[in-house]
Amino acid sequence: MKKRILSGMRPTGPLHIGHLVGALENWLKMQETYECFFMVADWHALTTEYENPANIRAYVRELLLDFLSVGLDPEKSVIFVQSDVKEHAELALLLGMSTPLGWLERVPTYKEQMQQLSTKDLSTYGFLGYPLLQAADIIIYHAHCVPVGQDQLPHLELTREVVRRFNYMYKNDYFIEPQGLLSEASRLLGTDGRKMSKSYNNAVFL
């Protein structure tokens, strides 16, 4: 029986070399050996782009076309848009009832992005709760593994903690603790030496 993978990308702009080398080339190989679920994470895009939802809508189609253009095959993998599956939001809400606030505040990328994206108002629950929505994305499909970059490992460890707490509190081993799969190019630097990112305006676009 194949192990299951869940991964996704936010439709916030054109993809760059980091996406190709760090994720898409990996996904292409994984669809041959894993049961894969690949997601356009439009709700995640709202955590930083909530003032411009029309831009997100436009990039959903572009991202799906990019997925297909690199060779992701709907006959081999499940390719979907996050907001089409309302249960993601429902599970995130339920997980939020039992997840300590301090767990979310200590995620390293939370403080890092608050500093790096200082021109945006990120003092919202949506931004703070980003890793919890990500946890719901993963565990709702009982994913065994998640392909991640180095910077996403703390998010995945939070998911594992959330699963342990949930299973313990409700005396049920329903959810799986997912493992991380680091890509060979787990952290690609941008033109300014920081992590390559659309948000940091330091990317080499495809």
Side-chain angles (χ1 to χ4, degrees), residues 4-6 12-13 52 57 70 82 122 129 139-140 145-146 168 180 195:
R4 185 172 290 179
I5 291 276
L6 181 285
T12 54
N52 302 297
R57 205 171 293 118
V70 298
Q82 182 186 32
L122 299 180
I139 68 176
I140 200 169
C145 306
V146 182
Y168 174 77
K195 172 197 168 188

Side-chain angles (χ1 to χ4, degrees), residues 11-200:
T12 54
L15 298 187
H16 52 68
I17 290 176
H19 293 116
L20 179 65
V21 176
L24 292 174
E25 288 181 348
N26 247 3
W27 291 7
L28 199 54
K29 297 173 188 172
M30 287 175 180
Q31 74 174 356
E32 303 301 330
T33 52
Y34 291 91
E35 183 185 8
C36 295
F37 287 72
F38 297 127
M39 171 180 72
V40 175
D42 53 343
W43 277 338
H44 281 299
L46 279 173
T47 61
T48 57
E49 306 297 324
Y50 59 87
E51 293 180 294
N52 302 297
N55 293 344
I56 297 172
R57 205 171 293 118
Y59 278 118
V60 165
R61 182 176 182 276
E62 296 303 312
L63 191 51
L64 286 168
L65 289 173
D66 286 337
F67 283 2
L68 297 175
S69 72
V70 298
L72 293 184
D73 186 348
E75 296 295 324
K76 297 178 180 178
S77 304
V78 178
I79 301 171
F80 68 102
V81 178
Q82 182 186 32
S83 62
D84 285 342
V85 186
K86 307 305 181 189
E87 288 82 359
H88 284 246
E90 184 178 351
L91 181 55
L93 174 67
L94 294 174
L95 294 177
M97 301 302 178
S98 59
T99 302
L101 187 60
W103 288 12
L104 299 174
E105 292 174 327
R106 74 171 189 234
V107 174
T109 49
Y110 171 67
K111 292 176 182 176
E112 177 189 332
Q113 290 202 329
M114 286 285 277
Q115 294 171 346
Q116 300 290 350
L117 303 177
S118 56
T119 57
K120 294 177 182 274
D121 180 9
L122 299 180
S123 54
T124 63
Y125 169 72
F127 184 71
L128 177 64
Y130 178 104
L132 206 53
L133 178 57
Q134 191 176 58
D137 297 333
I138 297 164
I139 68 176
I140 200 169
Y141 296 102
H142 303 288
H144 301 94
C145 306
V146 182
V148 290
Q150 193 75 39
D151 60 319
Q152 289 289 312
L153 284 175
H155 287 233
L156 188 59
E157 184 52 38
L158 173 65
T159 298
R160 291 164 55 79
E161 287 181 310
V162 167
V163 167
R164 283 194 292 269
R165 180 177 172 88
F166 190 94
N167 287 346
Y168 174 77
M169 286 181 67
Y170 300 110
K171 298 176 176 56
N172 190 327
D173 292 332
Y174 184 69
F175 292 123
I176 298 171
E177 287 187 43
Q179 304 298 316
L181 292 176
L182 276 176
S183 65
E184 292 177 16
S186 56
R187 188 178 180 91
L188 200 66
L189 299 181
T191 55
D192 58 2
R194 294 182 294 173
K195 172 197 168 188
M196 189 176 291
S197 171
K198 291 176 282 189
S199 304
Y200 297 168

